[in-house]
Amino acid sequence: MIDVMKMFKARMYMKRNEPFLYSWHAYVGYELDLFRAFDRPMSKFDVADALSLDDDLLEQWIMVGLSIGHLKEAGRGRYKIANAWKLPKPKGDNSSGVLLKEMMELHIPTLLQYPEMMREKKRSHFDEEKHAPTVAETSRLLEVLAMPKMSKKIRENHFKTVLDIGCGEAGYIKKLAERFPDTQFKGIEISPAVAEKAEEMTASIENVEIENTDLWHYQPAQPVDMVMLNNVIHYIDLEERQALFSELASWLNDGGILSVVTPIAGRVDDPPFANVFNSFFSSFDNLYRLPTREELAEWGEEAGLKMLGIRTVIKEGSWYIVQYAK
Ligand SMILES: C[S@@+](CC[C@H](N)C(=O)[O-])C[C@H]1O[C@@H](n2cnc3c(N)ncnc32)[C@H](O)[C@@H]1O
């Protein structure tokens, strides 16, 4: 009886881990540009040669691809991608593959450190320079969903000045600036590499300015109409969050809007990913847990702002946009 249970559980663990194979395969294909290589029928030798890759490992990757339906046989020892819509697009161009990269290179290795961190009572340190470009690119995947809620406020209120704090690659302000040419946009970004990318992305747009600085060292010369804080709260120490909200509120004109995008966690009935986010952030001595709904209400109120509402951006990731008026 006991042996039967053991087998049953072992099978269940394996079965539950099967989806990992799809992600792993897609990640390797994205990272090495293999899906582009197999865009038309190719043999493993041609691809291994063209990309200077190990033949045997490439063959194994092809075998997994055939078994999970990412690749299909195309005759004469050649293979081709199948179900292309399921696969990440090549690197750059805001490909969804960057999410696989972040999961495989950052989230999973970090979560695997748990036993050691718990035993040693130690945390890792989030390597800003190494991961900032990938993280800034993954955040951009949310743009399409969150952008309309920002545009609406700018349009309805005829806002003329917008600040984006922790602007990343300037994905939001770039699109908003193209849409609202008479509004001035400014992005503040602490990472030099990411700020440089933001400058490149917006070089041809006159109504965008990027400043490479720490938000705590920044202060606008004049009050502004809207301040955005998108996916930045988990970089802020818990003790400093109220001060940040009060500071940002003080930068707003009367009638101005503070617009915040963040995952929210704190309840066990939140989607599992939201709670794993916190396990991930808590692994680092320089990243912090997500805010709760109650805290978001409290920080706004204490800063003298009126909360306009909390609206869903992506339910499964527990991602929300929270807007406040002054
Ligand atoms: C997850 S990214 C989000 C980027 C962008 N706002 C978006 O939603 O696509 C967070 C960004 O905030 C920047 N950041 C973190 N702490 C900051 C600080 N104290 N001052 C300015 N930028 C900061 C990080 O370097 C990173 O690029």
Side-chain angles (χ1 to χ4, degrees):
M1 185 60 192
I2 292 186
D3 279 352
V4 173
M5 276 312 283
K6 204 157 67 181
M7 276 303 294
F8 175 78
K9 283 193 220 167
R11 277 185 66 188
M12 182 181 76
Y13 297 142
M14 284 195 71
K15 206 70 200 145
R16 287 221 175 132
N17 251 314
E18 214 175 85
F20 177 78
L21 302 181
Y22 292 77
S23 307
W24 169 78
H25 191 267
Y27 159 68
V28 176
Y30 168 80
E31 184 57 21
L32 297 174
D33 229 359
L34 292 171
F35 295 126
R36 195 188 342 231
F38 286 105
D39 203 16
R40 53 209 168 86
M42 291 290 265
S43 76
K44 73 167 179 178
F45 300 107
D46 291 339
V47 172
D49 261 1
L51 300 178
S52 309
L53 299 173
D54 184 294
D55 286 353
D56 291 338
L57 295 181
L58 179 61
E59 180 173 354
Q60 297 313 321
W61 180 85
I62 293 172
M63 290 304 141
V64 177
L66 293 172
S67 85
I68 63 175
H70 284 177
L71 297 173
K72 60 185 177 196
E73 299 201 36
R76 290 184 280 127
R78 295 171 312 158
Y79 305 94
K80 186 181 179 311
I81 51 172
N83 299 310
W85 63 275
K86 285 190 190 168
L87 306 175
K89 295 251 170 329
K91 280 188 176 176
D93 196 23
N94 215 3
S95 165
S96 59
V98 73
L99 185 71
L100 290 167
K101 187 175 166 76
E102 188 176 311
M103 253 165 41
M104 295 291 168
E105 294 184 6
L106 182 56
H107 298 175
I108 292 174
T110 303
L111 294 174
L112 293 180
Q113 295 294 314
Y114 248 65
E116 194 187 326
M117 287 190 298
M118 282 166 96
R119 256 186 229 122
E120 305 289 322
K121 302 192 173 136
K122 280 211 305 239
R123 298 280 191 277
S124 309
H125 191 77
F126 182 69
D127 183 343
E128 197 60 59
E129 278 316 293
K130 179 165 171 212
H131 299 298
T134 305
V135 171
E137 204 182 328
T138 47
S139 300
R140 290 195 53 202
L141 298 170
L142 297 174
E143 272 168 31
V144 216
L145 299 163
M147 190 81 70
K149 306 194 167 67
M150 301 164 187
S151 300
K152 187 160 178 253
K153 291 284 175 260
I154 300 175
R155 192 177 57 242
E156 283 177 357
N157 299 291
H158 308 286
F159 282 158
K160 288 286 163 260
T161 45
V162 176
L163 256 183
D164 187 3
I165 304 299
C167 68
E169 295 181 350
Y172 285 104
I173 43 179
K174 176 173 192 269
K175 292 216 181 69
L176 290 171
E178 283 165 346
R179 181 113 183 248
F180 300 97
D182 298 329
T183 302
Q184 287 304 316
F185 292 84
K186 177 152 184 173
I188 303 300
E189 172 53 54
I190 195 170
S191 152
V194 175
E196 201 178 307
K197 181 87 197 282
E199 299 241 12
E200 270 169 39
M201 302 274 296
T202 56
S204 60
I205 308 175
E206 284 196 354
N207 52 332
V208 175
E209 189 192 334
I210 306 293
E211 190 170 324
N212 175 211
T213 184
D214 185 339
L215 70 91
W216 297 108
H217 300 154
Y218 178 78
Q219 175 121 49
Q222 315 275 318
V224 296
D225 294 331
M226 184 155 109
V227 173
M228 303 197 295
L229 186 71
N230 300 328
N231 301 305
V232 175
I233 294 186
H234 53 272
Y235 286 76
I236 311 293
D237 194 328
L238 303 185
E239 262 76 73
E240 293 173 332
R241 292 179 177 182
Q242 177 64 65
L244 177 63
F245 269 60
S246 300
E247 179 71 9
L248 299 184
S250 77
W251 297 353
L252 285 172
N253 283 315
D254 282 341
I257 299 259
L258 171 62
S259 181
V260 178
V261 172
T262 183
I264 297 181
R267 294 187 190 156
V268 276
D269 56 350
D270 283 326
F273 256 106
N275 288 300
V276 177
F277 265 138
N278 272 345
S279 308
F280 171 74
F281 293 139
S282 304
S283 306
F284 298 99
D285 59 10
N286 54 342
L287 293 181
Y288 311 91
R289 69 158 175 81
L290 296 173
T292 62
R293 288 169 184 75
E294 293 73 25
E295 286 170 330
L296 286 162
E298 196 182 307
W299 298 329
E301 196 177 320
E302 189 66 26
L305 300 173
K306 175 171 177 278
M307 192 195 269
L308 301 175
I310 302 189
R311 271 168 307 161
T312 315
V313 177
I314 294 185
K315 189 158 159 275
E316 298 74 15
S318 201
W319 241 291
Y320 295 86
I321 180 162
V322 192
Q323 292 178 321
Y324 308 81
K326 180 160 171 179

